[in-house]
Amino acid sequence: MKNSVILSRQETDKQFEYMERVREVVGGGKVFIQTFGCQQNVSDSERLLGMAEKMGFKKTTVPEEADLILVNTCAVREHAELKALSITGGYKHCKEKKPSLIIGICGCMVSQEHRLEDIKKRYPYIDFLLGTTLMHRFPEILYGVIADKERRFWIDNDISVISEGLPVSREPGAPEAMVSIMYGCDNFCTYCIVPYVRGRERSREPEAVIEEVRSLISSGVKEITLLGQNVNSYRPVGRDGYGFAGLLGDICSLEGEAVIHFMTSHPKDATYELIDVMAANPPESGRVGISRRFHLPLQSGSDRILKLMNRRYTAAHYLSLVDYMRKRIPGIAITTDIIVGFPGETEEDFSATLDMLSRVGYDNIYSFIYSKRVGTPAAEMKDQIPEDVKKERFSRLIQLQSRISKDKNQIYVGKRVRALVEGRSKTDKDKFTARTETNRLVHFDGEDGLTGKYVTLYIEGAESHMLYGRLSEADEGDILI
Ligand code: SAH
Ligand code: SF4
Ligand code: F3S
């Protein structure tokens, strides 16, 4: 394994040359990007789009109109892969209608050798496959496909590059933005494919991260999410002792006003120092602060299962972190990820997970049925849990959390909250949605001019996944976070 290197100026320049060459030979056109998976992938798609725009392509939301289709895939569960494959299959008709169309698949799914080989054979109309660690070479692969009229398949899970200096295309005027602070993962949780498809953990230089955040704030972005598979192991090369808490502290001393979120944290690496930095820097008007929300994936409440998962913490350690957070940051919202039906999970292990839900009192959970991933240790473990048992446990987990979330949300009824308006609701076009600091979604009657602005809402009703409110400008009582 080579050490991680920051993309050389030479390599960046080379890619800018390819962008120019593609622009010359293609002379415009439209690009459609479909993104699956986590925010890391959404962030990667912003870079792919940035490069595509530099090559003269304009973004379209209609695949039939496109001259270039990119599918940025996820491999975290089987369902994510099947969805990406089926959507990709659907683009065959676009190619039949427009033979000059170029289709490329990138991201985590195609970074697996077996998927790469399968797509190469079974999807002859796919022009290129590009792995996550080679994303910066997108202009080069595209140029090769166009110039040589040949298919290309590039993955290399052994290289660890940090690509600075390539174009990024963010939604113009959007109040929220994401900034990757690190790439890859070295934790090798036994169920997880991510370390195999995203390469070794590598941290960007703090100066580069801070400059990107500074420039977003000065351009009017209000909320910024710092991204990494395990932000608590942020460790830039050659900066002994400088970690995630230090980075957050430096970001909070920037000029301007913004709220910083981050994800994801690993309980084995989350520090008391980090919680102290959060406590010292709450969001306040006129300054940069850190939101009072913490996503801390538990996965299982059973120490036996946590060990089999290679998570390297115990339920007791997890609870001590939660206690400290609650003590230092009153009102903090805590959310988690849970996997149900990990190999060997007994009813007793599962009860320990339910017990943790009640003890922690999560504001929300993201729960997943265990999915076997080719090449991971858990896929080879004995005692795989039958589907019906997994589903039954999953539904009990959801039921319990629904009650807990609803109870937590009820506290807001009759109180006011401050929230950032996201726009028209996806489910009811007559309503608007806004997101609170603790990541609660509020439905309310609004107007288009409010999108991207903060409003104060009086909460009139609550369900487990939604608050219902109305604009409240007059003093109508307490404002909760
Ligand atoms: N790096 C992050 C999350 C990465 S994947 C972390 O460590 O928390 C997001 C979530 O997907 C994980 O937290 C886990 O709950 C879930 N997940 C990962 N692999 C899975 C698998 N094989 N089956 C089911 N869920 C999985
Ligand atoms: Fe996967 Fe574990 Fe890494 Fe998260 S920390 S990405 S769950 S291996
Ligand atoms: Fe999926 Fe890759 Fe993210 S596997 S969850 S898109 S890191």
Side-chain angles (χ1 to χ4, degrees):
M1 183 74 53
K2 292 162 221 159
N3 282 334
S4 68
V5 286
I6 295 180
L7 204 60
S8 67
R9 188 66 237 172
Q10 220 177 353
E11 179 66 31
T12 317
D13 288 348
K14 193 168 112 195
Q15 294 308 320
F16 273 100
E17 269 170 40
Y18 280 115
M19 289 183 225
E20 199 43 49
R21 285 198 222 170
V22 174
R23 180 192 267 280
E24 277 164 18
V25 292
V26 176
K30 289 189 176 165
V31 56
F32 173 80
I33 300 199
Q34 172 102 38
T35 308
F36 295 93
C38 64
Q39 281 173 311
Q40 197 82 65
N41 252 20
V42 177
S43 172
D44 285 346
S45 286
E46 291 178 344
R47 286 195 288 161
L48 289 167
L49 185 63
M51 291 188 262
E53 285 176 352
K54 260 266 172 296
M55 291 186 264
F57 292 94
K58 290 213 162 39
K59 185 178 158 185
T60 175
T61 51
V62 186
E64 287 77 11
E65 274 185 357
D67 303 284
L68 170 64
I69 292 181
L70 297 174
V71 187
N72 197 5
T73 59
C74 171
V76 80
R77 284 169 290 275
E78 189 185 19
H79 179 70
E81 295 198 294
L82 296 180
K83 218 159 112 190
L85 288 171
S86 117
I87 296 260
T88 305
Y91 295 142
K92 190 176 174 194
H93 78 276
C94 298
K95 185 92 164 196
E96 282 162 0
K97 283 205 191 107
K98 192 193 275 187
S100 64
L101 168 68
I102 295 173
I103 307 179
I105 315 187
C106 348
C108 297
M109 181 176 79
V110 297
S111 302
Q112 306 168 95
E113 201 79 49
H114 72 280
R115 281 291 180 209
L116 183 106
E117 291 306 325
D118 178 49
I119 296 171
K120 220 160 130 177
K121 283 198 208 93
R122 290 201 303 127
Y123 296 73
Y125 55 93
I126 301 298
D127 298 287
F128 68 89
L129 301 178
L130 185 62
T132 55
T133 58
L134 297 175
M135 205 82 91
H136 57 281
R137 289 175 67 191
F138 164 48
E140 186 180 346
I141 200 169
L142 183 59
Y143 182 75
V145 167
I146 297 169
D148 300 340
K149 298 192 172 48
E150 242 179 42
R151 303 171 79 205
R152 294 262 195 284
F153 312 99
W154 290 356
I155 57 170
D156 180 350
N157 293 331
D158 285 341
I159 73 155
S160 285
V161 174
I162 300 176
S163 46
E164 298 291 354
L166 291 169
V168 182
S169 173
R170 295 188 167 95
E171 192 76 39
E176 294 157 309
M178 288 171 290
V179 172
S180 291
I181 63 165
M182 56 197 298
Y183 306 100
C185 180
D186 284 352
N187 286 309
F188 292 93
C189 302
T190 53
Y191 49 81
C192 186
I193 197 71
V194 173
Y196 303 90
V197 294
R198 287 234 165 227
R200 297 293 51 78
E201 202 168 81
R202 51 213 185 268
S203 302
R204 291 177 68 192
E205 289 185 320
E207 293 75 17
V209 174
I210 294 166
E211 176 47 31
E212 190 171 347
V213 172
R214 194 202 56 74
S215 118
L216 287 167
I217 297 173
S218 70
S219 71
V221 172
K222 297 189 167 81
E223 303 205 0
I224 296 168
T225 305
L226 306 177
L227 293 181
Q229 292 301 343
N230 178 8
V231 289
N232 295 293
S233 57
Y234 175 75
R235 226 161 272 125
V237 174
R239 312 296 174 95
D240 274 356
Y242 190 90
F244 185 55
L247 179 72
L248 271 181
D250 285 344
I251 288 175
C252 288
S253 63
L254 287 169
E255 302 263 313
E257 181 173 334
V259 179
I260 306 297
H261 314 289
F262 57 86
M263 68 184 307
T264 298
S265 290
H266 193 304
K268 80 175 163 59
D269 297 311
T271 58
Y272 291 91
E273 186 194 1
L274 163 66
I275 298 166
D276 290 339
V277 172
M278 292 176 74
N281 294 284
E284 276 167 11
S285 78
R287 56 162 303 197
V288 180
I290 309 161
S291 64
R292 284 159 285 194
R293 59 166 96 150
F294 209 111
H295 184 63
L296 193 61
L298 170 69
Q299 313 299 0
S300 168
S302 151
D303 286 346
R304 199 181 70 82
I305 295 292
L306 286 173
K307 203 165 177 137
L308 288 173
M309 287 176 162
N310 190 31
R311 290 289 286 178
R312 289 172 277 171
Y313 54 83
T314 58
H317 173 70
Y318 186 100
L319 285 171
S320 69
L321 282 170
V322 168
D323 283 347
Y324 192 68
M325 272 184 226
R326 292 243 158 91
K327 192 170 99 202
R328 298 287 283 125
I329 312 167
I332 191 170
I334 303 177
T335 55
T336 201
D337 290 351
I338 301 285
I339 296 178
V340 174
F342 183 84
E345 184 189 71
T346 61
E347 185 56 35
E348 196 185 339
D349 295 317
F350 178 63
S351 297
T353 302
L354 294 178
D355 189 44
M356 283 295 276
L357 258 54
S358 306
R359 288 176 76 169
V360 175
Y362 291 106
D363 292 75
N364 197 4
I365 66 166
Y366 301 86
S367 39
F368 309 102
I369 291 183
Y370 168 72
S371 168
K372 256 189 184 181
R373 305 288 66 210
V374 174
T376 61
E380 307 299 322
M381 287 180 187
K382 293 195 301 280
D383 304 325
Q384 297 284 331
I385 307 295
E387 281 309 306
D388 56 337
V389 176
K390 288 196 225 176
K391 283 192 180 137
E392 191 273 334
R393 286 183 189 161
F394 184 73
S395 95
R396 269 193 283 155
L397 185 84
I398 303 276
Q399 271 172 30
L400 172 61
Q401 184 55 37
S402 275
R403 284 201 300 276
I404 297 172
S405 296
K406 193 167 175 186
D407 286 350
K408 292 226 140 199
N409 283 348
Q410 283 296 334
I411 298 169
Y412 288 83
V413 177
K415 305 278 188 325
R416 296 192 299 158
V417 288
R418 193 165 170 265
L420 182 64
V421 181
E422 293 195 330
R424 283 186 186 272
S425 155
K426 290 189 185 92
T427 49
D428 178 355
K429 292 285 165 222
D430 293 334
K431 295 276 181 192
F432 280 74
T433 55
R435 200 171 285 278
T436 72
E437 188 189 323
T438 59
N439 211 9
R440 292 182 159 81
L441 217 50
V442 192
H443 252 211
F444 70 105
D445 286 318
E447 52 191 69
D448 286 316
L450 291 176
T451 300
K453 299 207 166 88
Y454 285 102
V455 290
T456 305
L457 298 164
Y458 181 87
I459 303 303
E460 298 176 307
E463 281 174 15
S464 46
H465 286 290
M466 187 73 75
L467 299 177
Y468 300 92
R470 59 171 167 75
L471 289 165
S472 161
E473 296 313 331
D475 184 4
E476 290 187 88
D478 292 353
I479 295 189
L480 295 188
I481 62 159

